[in-house]
Amino acid sequence: MEPSELPFKIILGSSSIARRKILAEMGYEFTLMSADIDEKAIRTEKPEELVMALAKAKADAIVSKLQLSGDHEKDAKPHMLIVSDTAEGNPKLHSGEDKDAKPTLLITCDQVVVYEGMIREKPSNEEEAREFIKGYSGKQAATVSSVFVTNLKTGSAKGDFDKVEIHFHEIPDHAIEKLLEEGLVLRAAGALIIEHPLIVPYVKEVIGTTDSVMGLPKALTDKLLKEAAEA
């Protein structure tokens, strides 16, 4: 099915390059928006609850932004907005669209790394990133990634999370220092980028999918998009 034939349109509420790449690989056309929220203001002890709450907060922020810029939906065809993190809620955008028009779905996402029972978000500095990566050496960690999809036409929302376990060989210091010098790990949850060429040789086993570790689990995203489009 061609993107123009899909029963919905999409907005990806994320600035992540990896998520954009994955969604494009899935064959979807989409527009981009970002949510400006204070992620540190939302806290919970359970990683699954945290990523869902953050995804929901991002969705709410983007919906509010769309409502404030009223002409966004007046002059454009409805589209789909995707939000990550699973949380309950029904933000609704009153766009005045035709009842038979394609719904717009908003996708928002969030991710944390869990290591030895502790939640890790993006490292605050290079030293913390170094500590994170050294900790994975010869051990294991898990990613918890949420996807939250809001139907802007009906106000319904569907969300869930996916968990992946990663086991590592020993990671040499020279590889860690090169990663830190490059800087990309500073923008990744837990400073974890398993698809990076410098880390690939030291990944022993992945129990789950790489796309989920990169922040957007394909199977879950497809499922939630279809469910939200019909809700």
Side-chain angles (χ1 to χ4, degrees):
M1 184 180 290
E2 293 298 322
S4 60
E5 298 173 336
L6 291 171
F8 50 71
K9 292 198 173 184
I10 300 173
I11 297 173
L12 176 61
S14 173
S15 58
S16 164
I17 294 174
R19 290 190 181 110
R20 295 182 206 175
K21 180 181 177 182
I22 292 169
L23 195 58
E25 287 175 352
M26 293 169 68
Y28 292 118
E29 289 185 353
F30 53 92
T31 54
L32 296 169
M33 288 191 72
S34 59
D36 303 315
I37 65 169
D38 179 4
E39 296 189 19
K40 297 297 184 184
I42 300 173
R43 299 290 89 184
T44 178
E45 294 182 2
K46 294 184 178 180
E48 298 85 357
E49 293 178 358
L50 179 60
V51 293
M52 292 171 74
L54 285 166
K56 169 66 164 51
K58 291 174 183 178
D60 289 345
I62 292 174
V63 168
S64 295
K65 188 183 294 188
L66 288 170
Q67 288 173 332
L68 287 173
S69 63
D71 55 3
H72 174 87
E73 290 287 324
K74 283 180 191 172
D75 303 322
K77 293 179 180 178
H79 47 270
M80 173 191 291
L81 177 60
I82 300 173
V83 184
S84 350
D85 278 49
T86 49
E88 304 206 352
N90 296 303
K92 186 172 183 179
L93 182 67
H94 296 280
S95 59
E97 62 223 13
D98 187 288
K99 66 178 182 178
D100 296 322
K102 293 181 181 181
T104 293
L105 304 181
L106 166 64
I107 301 173
T108 55
C109 317
D110 197 74
Q111 182 184 75
V112 296
V113 170
V114 179
Y115 174 74
E116 295 187 342
M118 301 294 291
I119 294 174
R120 289 180 168 182
E121 297 177 85
K122 293 175 184 176
S124 55
N125 52 47
E126 186 176 294
E127 187 53 44
E128 186 171 49
R130 180 180 288 107
E131 177 188 339
F132 283 177
I133 303 171
K134 280 180 176 289
Y136 304 140
S137 183
K139 297 185 180 179
Q140 66 187 65
T143 56
V144 182
S145 306
S146 61
V147 178
F148 192 77
V149 182
T150 304
N151 185 321
L152 299 181
K153 184 176 181 180
T154 66
S156 64
K158 302 289 181 179
D160 207 344
F161 66 88
D162 186 62
K163 191 171 181 178
V164 178
E165 194 172 290
I166 307 109
H167 296 254
F168 294 91
H169 295 294
E170 296 290 334
I171 306 173
D173 288 344
H174 70 82
I176 295 174
E177 293 308 315
K178 284 184 180 179
L179 279 168
L180 294 171
E181 186 178 323
E182 186 181 84
L184 289 176
V185 292
L186 295 173
R187 300 195 291 274
L192 186 64
I193 308 180
I194 68 166
E195 73 277 11
H196 195 290
L198 287 168
I199 285 293
V200 168
Y202 310 109
V203 176
K204 183 178 181 179
E205 183 182 15
V206 177
I207 304 174
T209 63
T210 301
D211 48 87
S212 182
V213 179
M214 292 173 68
L216 192 67
K218 291 180 179 180
L220 178 60
T221 300
D222 259 333
K223 174 178 174 287
L224 295 175
L225 284 173
K226 290 168 184 173
E227 289 179 356
E230 296 171 355

